[in-house]
Amino acid sequence: MATVHKINEDLVKERQKCTFNVQELTYLLDGGEEVTKERREFENILRNVKELQDEVPEVYLSHKERYENAVRKTCILQNVRNDFEKKREVLSPRNIFRAGYAVIKDVSPFFLHNGMFVPTIIGQGTPEQQAEWLPKAKAMAIIGTYAQTELGHGTFIRGLETTATYDAKTEEFILNSPKVTSYKWWPGGLGTTVNHCITVAQLYINGKKYGIHPFIVQIRDLETHKPLPGIKVGEIGPKMGFATANNGFLGFQNFRIPRKNMLMKNAQVLKDGTFVKGMNEKLTYGTMVMVRVNIVSDSAFHTAMAATIAVRYAAVRHQSQLKAKEPEVQIIDYLTQQHKLFIAIATSHAFSNTYTWLYQAYLKVVEDLGKQKQDHLPELHALSCCLKATSSRDAGVIVEQCRLACGGHGYMASSNLPIIYGYTTAAITYEGEHTVLLLQTARYLMKAWMSALEGKVLAPSVAYLVDWLKSDKQRWQNTPEVIVKGFQHVAAGKIKDAFDAIQKHVKAGKDYEDAWNLASVQLIKASEAHSRAILCDGYLRETVRTSSSVSPSLAKVLNHLVQLYIVYWTLETAGDLLVYSNIGKDDIAVLKEKYEELLALIRPNAVGLVDAFDISDEILQSTLGSYDGRVYERLMEEAMKSPLNKEPVNQSFHKYLKPFIKKAKL
Ligand SMILES: CC/C=C\C/C=C\C/C=C\C/C=C/C(=O)SCCNC(=O)CCNC(=O)[C@H](O)C(C)(C)COP(=O)(O)OP(=O)(O)OC[C@H]1O[C@@H](n2cnc3c(N)ncnc32)[C@H](O)[C@@H]1OP(=O)(O)O
Ligand SMILES: Cc1cc2nc3c(=O)[nH]c(=O)nc-3n(C[C@H](O)[C@H](O)[C@H](O)COP(=O)(O)OP(=O)(O)OC[C@H]3O[C@@H](n4cnc5c(N)ncnc54)[C@H](O)[C@@H]3O)c2cc1C
């Protein structure tokens, strides 16, 4: 029977102070009581699977052992999931995502299968292709990944070099990787796990290039798992994080696949080699849009994980005296600590709220595309790019801030903060590099600005540009609504400045492309300001919407959090607001006080707020962040698992140290 330990007294007191119902907030964050119950039930089942408990912490395993252990555990997880889903409805994707962390400490080598392989078949395949591949993929009779990036090209996908040349005689495509730079590089699970992949390649028919298209390719024998003839595949080696993601490389040499393996929901190649264009060639990029939307939710969760660890630790940790002769204080009582941590909680809420509406917008576009309507696609692309970029970047900063807030112990692998940082920071690069995505949004913003100048009606997310052009800047008030308007003014001002900078360079004789490059620092700043305005506006709206359906005590706390988020970013960007809005120095002074008041208001609820994220100890995997707060005991228990502590004297003493010391004595 597992030993039940006493909860740390500080945490007991913190939980008694909480002014709202923690469970009510958990249900709200999960999207309903049923979702929470389903999640807890599944996590509880996993908790009791003995084979999922690691005897040796993963960190002490070799690269190879770590991978093999991850595959072993992912297979068990999949089986448990299948059994669970046989009895009831399919688990919600976010619940599966969370449960994964209870099993694999780092990233699962199967992640890309459900994350991109299956969605690409759904998003890019015809009904016939879906009927052929989906049942096998969903049952995991075939396991796949998404192989787009190459050694030479990740961002500029029109420059991909893998070729798919149509042979009308055999009705096949011949895949080739002409140069070393054409090798696929990065796809998760590709190294040694998957037997299929979506390969994105340049289509050639009769010597003519038709751009990049997705192909479904079997790369390994289903029985022996050996690479098929014409396939060169392997693992790319250790990275900053993602230790168990099994990222791989892949090259093709005259590798033939049937015509039906080109995913043809959009463009098609007919038997005789006729190319039929799709409604919009950018629909080929559809899976990336979906994943970018999901990254906003991932960022919310990663921020919640780090906040939970750091807030609980800050409640347990005592260090220094505020006043002489008084006991050492809980570090959470230092205002600077609250400044580091409470924004982490609020940021997670901001991203969750943003994901809620962004995902709805995504579903609407998918539904419209089904009816051949694509009016909202450019706006969704622009939103998903800048919100992916900003949420992943902010999450990276917040996780690092939480690590710093844990002092030296935050640097321990057993705090789990280094691993969380490893996968959080990776998201800034994957699925579209940060700057590149901000520039995609900037492209949309420049067009929107032009339309605003022409008096056209704009899409809702940029409608503020028209308001800004029409009205004088409104009188400043330190209310959340007016501050959000202020963020919109900053965004509008920066968009205008970037636009004018481009025009200036063009007038001076530059090509538009060169002018764009010369203005690109301003362009990314405009895009960032637009993201912040969208985040604050959406977070505020969602909070107002939900506040009417929750208890008054919870509504109050949610209101404190959204205000904290908005005031924090006002103070962080005060310089911009002074330039582009009517805020004055005195308003900023008032907001500084307001910020301190908000920290004080949130203080009694800090532990309750992170408890409400309801992240189990198995998922957190942190000596510093466990629910019971046994920080020091756990640190010592984990240290004792070090193989170096298994013997009183290590052999290196006899081999090297002893002779070395002896020599030194002479
Ligand atoms: C534990 C961790 C938890 C979970 C995660 C675990 C594992 C998951 C990890 C990793 C998975 C990672 C997977 C990947 O990274 S897959 C590879 C992703 N690659 C990219 O994102 C590449 C980025 N590059 C691009 O998307 C394009 O090359 C780019 C958009 C930058 C440019 O494309 P292109 O050159 O073709 O277009 P432009 O000339 O710039 O624009 C033309 C036009 O098209 C519009 N556009 C562009 N993209 C889209 C789109 N997706 N949808 C709709 N429209 C699009 C663009 O706005 C332009 O419009 P206009 O201005 O009107 O001309
Ligand atoms: C952990 C991880 C997992 C991944 N998983 C997958 C996967 O499963 N499948 C897959 O296909 N790929 C995957 N990738 C690849 C990933 O999608 C690419 O690394 C990413 O899109 C960035 O492309 P790049 O590496 O070519 O960067 P580059 O484009 O070479 O970026 C280098 C620098 O150049 C700048 N730059 C590039 N173009 C421009 C421009 N137009 N304007 C201004 N600046 C520019 C960038 O801002 C950046 O600073 C993964 C990557 C990582 C790190």
Side-chain angles (χ1 to χ4, degrees):
M1 225 175 73
T3 329
V4 181
H5 293 285
K6 251 182 80 188
I7 308 250
N8 170 283
E9 278 177 18
D10 285 317
L11 281 181
V12 172
K13 284 187 207 143
E14 293 296 333
R15 287 178 178 131
Q16 283 162 355
K17 277 189 224 164
C18 186
T19 64
F20 68 97
N21 181 335
V22 169
Q23 179 108 308
E24 188 187 2
L25 179 53
T26 303
Y27 292 160
L28 182 72
L29 289 170
D30 273 339
E33 185 175 342
E34 285 314 307
V35 186
T36 304
K37 286 190 170 152
E38 174 200 86
R39 180 173 58 69
R40 286 185 182 156
E41 196 182 339
F42 187 58
E43 286 171 10
N44 205 30
I45 294 172
L46 288 177
R47 189 171 295 131
N48 292 310
V49 180
K50 234 180 90 213
E51 296 75 23
L52 289 176
Q53 320 295 327
D54 280 322
E55 279 173 26
V56 180
E58 270 184 30
V59 70
Y60 296 118
L61 301 180
S62 69
H63 182 66
K64 190 161 168 270
E65 289 166 335
R66 214 164 164 177
Y67 163 70
E68 287 162 359
N69 193 41
V71 174
R72 179 184 72 81
K73 291 203 289 184
T74 313
C75 290
I76 298 173
L77 169 66
Q78 190 60 36
N79 287 333
V80 175
R81 178 182 161 188
N82 290 345
D83 289 346
F84 187 87
E85 290 180 340
K86 263 184 217 152
K87 288 183 230 142
R88 65 213 87 197
E89 284 201 11
V90 172
L91 273 158
S92 83
R94 303 324 292 167
N95 281 350
I96 300 165
F97 173 79
R98 279 180 70 146
Y101 292 90
V103 175
I104 312 290
K105 191 158 184 163
D106 208 311
V107 177
S108 161
F110 290 26
F111 192 84
L112 265 284
H113 177 81
N114 288 319
M116 290 190 85
F117 180 69
V118 172
T120 307
I121 300 174
I122 296 171
Q124 309 283 321
T126 61
E128 298 73 39
Q129 290 175 316
Q130 292 187 24
E132 173 166 4
W133 301 107
L134 267 187
K136 291 183 225 167
K138 283 190 170 168
M140 298 201 74
I142 58 170
I143 304 173
T145 185
Y146 184 83
Q148 179 173 288
T149 306
E150 295 169 359
L151 260 176
H153 290 95
T155 289
F156 184 59
I157 49 182
R158 277 188 286 139
L160 293 177
E161 297 169 14
T162 305
T163 55
T165 309
Y166 187 61
D167 178 354
K169 286 198 284 307
T170 59
E171 291 180 28
E172 288 172 319
F173 293 102
I174 312 161
L175 298 179
N176 269 299
S177 314
K179 295 191 273 177
V180 65
T181 47
S182 344
Y183 268 64
K184 296 293 171 193
W185 190 270
W186 271 119
L190 180 63
T192 45
T193 314
V194 302
N195 46 37
H196 281 69
C197 64
I198 304 292
T199 291
V200 181
Q202 297 285 359
L203 172 66
Y204 282 87
I205 308 171
N206 294 327
K208 187 172 168 200
K209 187 165 150 182
Y210 287 90
I212 56 166
H213 296 276
F215 299 84
I216 184 158
V217 188
Q218 180 178 343
I219 57 166
R220 288 189 166 97
D221 184 276
L222 294 187
E223 204 48 50
T224 64
H225 205 58
K226 287 206 173 128
L228 296 175
I231 296 286
K232 193 171 168 198
V233 61
E235 197 235 355
I236 64 173
K239 296 136 295 189
M240 182 169 159
F242 267 56
T244 49
N246 195 226
N247 300 92
F249 65 80
L250 170 68
F252 300 99
Q253 208 178 14
N254 291 323
F255 188 78
R256 287 178 170 265
I257 53 169
R259 186 182 65 92
K260 68 177 170 62
N261 284 28
M262 174 172 143
L263 293 176
M264 298 206 210
K265 187 170 184 175
N266 302 314
Q268 294 165 23
V269 175
L270 305 183
K271 282 183 186 178
D272 64 358
T274 307
F275 179 75
V276 183
K277 261 175 108 168
M279 172 172 58
N280 176 344
E281 62 179 22
K282 298 305 174 205
L283 292 179
T284 312
Y285 301 177
T287 313
M288 290 185 277
V289 177
M290 179 211 74
V291 180
R292 287 170 193 152
V293 169
N294 284 337
I295 287 172
V296 177
S297 168
D298 299 352
S299 301
F301 187 61
H302 297 150
T303 311
M305 285 176 94
T308 304
I309 295 169
V311 167
R312 286 187 184 154
Y313 177 69
V316 169
R317 180 76 164 176
H318 290 246
Q319 187 92 239
S320 315
Q321 295 160 301
L322 259 178
K323 292 182 193 154
K325 295 193 187 141
E326 284 196 357
E328 288 186 90
V329 289
Q330 288 170 281
I331 57 172
I332 198 169
D333 281 328
Y334 293 115
L335 208 73
T336 46
Q337 191 75 1
Q338 295 169 15
H339 174 55
K340 287 177 217 170
L341 298 182
F342 298 172
I343 186 63
I345 302 172
T347 300
S348 180
H349 280 252
F351 294 163
S352 293
N353 280 288
T354 302
Y355 172 72
T356 304
W357 66 258
L358 184 63
Y359 185 60
Q360 290 311 314
Y362 167 76
L363 290 181
K364 174 82 179 83
V365 168
V366 172
E367 189 193 324
D368 282 358
L369 288 172
K371 299 176 199 152
Q372 305 293 303
K373 268 175 65 186
Q374 46 177 328
D375 324 12
H376 300 296
L377 180 64
E379 185 187 24
L380 176 71
H381 170 56
L383 282 169
S384 61
C385 282
C386 71
L387 291 172
K388 180 272 182 188
T390 310
S391 65
S392 56
R393 182 62 169 252
D394 286 0
V397 171
I398 293 273
V399 172
E400 173 64 353
Q401 191 159 295
C402 288
R403 178 188 77 76
L404 297 175
C406 295
H409 296 327
Y411 198 67
M412 292 294 296
S414 72
S415 74
N416 208 20
L417 288 165
I419 286 206
I420 298 173
Y421 184 68
Y423 50 65
T424 308
T425 194
I428 304 172
T429 303
Y430 66 63
E431 218 53 65
E433 194 280 329
H434 183 74
T435 306
V436 169
L437 292 195
L438 288 177
L439 288 171
Q440 280 292 308
T441 303
R443 192 176 159 118
Y444 178 79
L445 295 176
M446 292 302 103
K447 284 191 170 179
W449 180 251
M450 185 102 92
S451 299
L453 290 177
E454 289 164 2
K456 291 185 183 153
V457 177
L458 298 192
S461 61
V462 280
Y464 65 83
L465 293 176
V466 179
D467 298 343
W468 191 77
L469 274 173
K470 268 200 245 155
S471 66
D472 281 342
K473 289 183 206 166
Q474 86 186 84
R475 206 175 61 78
W476 187 267
Q477 277 176 292
N478 274 336
T479 62
E481 290 75 15
V482 173
I483 298 177
V484 166
K485 282 251 171 260
F487 287 131
Q488 292 174 344
H489 290 167
V490 171
K494 290 193 175 199
I495 291 167
K496 178 191 182 303
D497 285 354
F499 184 90
D500 290 349
I502 296 175
Q503 299 309 313
K504 194 185 88 192
H505 292 303
V506 169
K507 277 194 190 129
K510 301 277 181 205
D511 289 342
Y512 186 81
E513 293 79 4
D514 289 329
W516 175 271
N517 192 27
L518 287 168
S520 59
V521 173
Q522 294 195 48
L523 285 163
I524 59 165
K525 298 288 172 201
S527 212
E528 281 169 352
H530 173 69
S531 296
R532 194 63 62 202
I534 296 282
L535 277 164
C536 290
D537 183 41
Y539 183 18
L540 185 62
R541 277 172 203 261
E542 283 291 318
T543 308
V544 170
R545 192 178 63 81
T546 47
S547 288
S548 58
S549 58
V550 298
S551 65
S553 55
L554 179 57
K556 203 168 168 184
V557 181
L558 296 179
N559 188 266
H560 291 157
L561 281 179
V562 71
Q563 285 198 57
L564 181 95
Y565 188 79
I566 289 173
V567 176
Y568 176 93
W569 279 106
T570 308
L571 298 176
E572 283 292 302
T573 58
D576 287 339
L577 283 157
L578 283 166
V579 173
Y580 294 103
S581 81
N582 270 345
I583 198 169
K585 262 172 78 180
D586 295 346
D587 300 309
I588 293 173
V590 172
L591 285 173
K592 280 183 188 159
E593 275 177 29
K594 175 80 187 166
Y595 181 68
E596 287 156 10
E597 273 167 31
L598 285 164
L599 291 177
L601 285 168
I602 292 169
R603 166 67 187 91
N605 285 319
V607 169
L609 280 166
V610 298
D611 284 352
F613 290 133
D614 201 28
I615 307 175
S616 68
D617 286 353
E618 290 77 11
I619 289 176
L620 269 188
Q621 308 206 35
S622 172
T623 44
L624 308 187
S626 60
Y627 186 84
D628 62 14
R630 289 177 60 250
V631 168
Y632 301 113
E633 295 85 343
R634 280 178 201 269
L635 279 165
M636 187 55 87
E637 284 158 16
E638 284 305 308
M640 294 319 289
K641 291 179 188 165
S642 164
L644 291 177
N645 290 328
K646 299 286 177 227
E647 49 193 8
V649 178
N650 181 261
Q651 54 164 327
S652 65
F653 174 75
H654 300 289
K655 274 192 183 163
Y656 312 113
L657 261 185
K658 198 170 173 183
F660 176 75
I661 293 168
K662 268 200 172 154
K663 201 173 162 201
K665 272 185 191 159
L666 282 177

